[in-house]
Amino acid sequence: MTNAILLYSGNVCSTPVVDYATHLPSVCVPVLEDFERHRFVNFAPSDAVYCETLAEVFDCVFARRDHPYLADVARDTDGARGRLLSEEQAAHVFFKWRGPPRGFGGRAHLARVLRAHKVKPVTILRRSVIAHATKMVLSQQHYGNTHMQFQVSREKMSDEAFQAYVADQAQVRVQFGKKDIQAVRRKAYSILRRRWEISRTVRNIFGQKRLEAVIAEDLFGRSVRIGPYEEAMSRFLEAGQRLPDGVVSQFRKGGPDVENCENYDDVCRDPALWTLERLYQRHIAGLHVISKKTDPA
């Protein structure tokens, strides 16, 4: 039995990874983003006790014991989240977490619990930091939002409206100027810094040197690639995983692509961005990437 936490940095398809996992018969997914600091604030109002309090909750989650915080989550989501299954019902626990915010004390409590339960850290990231940052800046400029996957979810948008949205998005053409490229630099550095923080979390809290990873584009195009997704989850949880037929995620790809930037080649030629890209590729080289590159779809 392997339990795993998906460490992520945002805008990397972590939400559909976890959402699809809720349909895997042997996997218990108790939360979506409910362990992040901004969601946990009512239960641990002080930053000083966040890690210690979260460690108590983690201990209950992996021991399959109820905890008042999970009861709060269940109440606030009408039972959609916060529910634990026994090991007989679901052999594996899996959820996503950004890791403790930088500078927070009490990390030793998290380390003690996660190591005691032998929780496996895994991660997902984009193939290129320049492309990742460019798409985020495009999304912010065009939509005023970098999390469009939530805005176009099946809960909020019909299939017909989504198809119209995709068609409209395909017509978007943006020319990046100097200030826009500077914004891409800032975003790329922020992404890279977050990746370094994940590496520190893996070493200092999980006590591991190398991290299993998948590249987001290998698992997702406009929709999930079922085979690569099942293979990735099977590797993460060290047991075969298959999605039931006909399963779809509530979440859909909503953000623009680099093709929407008319002078993306100019962005890629920026010397500062190339320096960040080299650092990013060095980071990827230090991971154990288990997914395989697929053709765009």
Side-chain angles (χ1 to χ4, degrees), residues 89-103:
Q89 293 171 302
H92 314 279
V93 173
F94 180 75
F95 57 86
K96 68 172 182 167
W97 181 47
R98 288 180 184 267
R102 191 172 186 178

Side-chain angles (χ1 to χ4, degrees), residues 39-93:
R39 296 283 183 88
F40 209 64
V41 66
N42 291 333
F43 205 79
S46 167
D47 290 350
V49 299
Y50 167 75
C51 290
E52 182 176 358
T53 308
L54 186 60
E56 295 173 2
V57 182
F58 279 179
D59 190 37
C60 289
V61 166
F62 293 112
R64 312 294 180 103
R65 298 193 309 268
D66 290 333
H67 187 281
Y69 180 67
L70 296 176
D72 287 353
V73 171
R75 184 192 64 239
D76 295 342
T77 62
D78 293 326
R81 302 195 301 275
R83 187 167 65 96
L84 286 173
L85 301 175
S86 68
E87 289 186 19
E88 290 73 24
Q89 293 171 302
H92 314 279
V93 173

Side-chain angles (χ1 to χ4, degrees), residues 127-253:
R127 179 167 283 114
S128 162
V129 74
I130 295 179
H132 188 178
T134 297
K135 289 189 282 188
M136 290 184 72
V137 172
L138 279 169
S139 186
Q140 184 64 47
Q141 289 187 356
H142 190 71
Y143 297 112
N145 190 327
T146 60
H147 296 279
M148 291 305 296
Q149 72 272 23
F150 297 110
Q151 304 305 312
V152 301
S153 69
R154 288 181 169 81
E155 184 178 290
K156 294 184 178 181
M157 187 178 286
S158 69
D159 289 343
E160 294 77 11
F162 179 66
Q163 292 305 317
Y165 170 88
V166 170
D168 288 343
Q169 188 181 85
Q171 304 305 313
V172 172
R173 292 294 179 270
V174 176
Q175 187 89 13
F176 272 4
K178 183 177 180 179
K179 289 185 177 179
D180 302 314
I181 293 176
Q182 288 173 345
V184 175
R185 287 179 198 156
R186 291 192 295 271
K187 184 59 68 176
Y189 178 68
S190 176
I191 293 166
L192 189 56
R193 186 174 60 183
R194 181 70 193 108
R195 294 303 316 177
W196 290 334
E197 186 63 28
I198 287 174
S199 294
R200 283 190 287 269
T201 294
V202 170
R203 290 193 305 270
N204 299 334
I205 293 181
F206 289 87
Q208 297 192 21
K209 293 182 179 179
R210 206 165 187 220
L211 181 62
E212 267 189 12
V214 292
I215 303 298
E217 291 86 350
D218 294 343
L219 271 57
F220 297 96
R222 272 291 170 189
S223 59
V224 66
R225 297 183 172 99
I226 297 293
Y229 176 82
E230 291 175 337
E231 183 177 351
M233 291 301 298
S234 297
R235 294 284 295 274
F236 281 168
L237 298 174
E238 301 174 10
Q241 303 295 325
R242 284 186 61 85
L243 285 167
D245 293 340
V247 167
V248 294
S249 172
Q250 287 299 309
F251 303 97
R252 298 181 282 207
K253 182 183 182 303

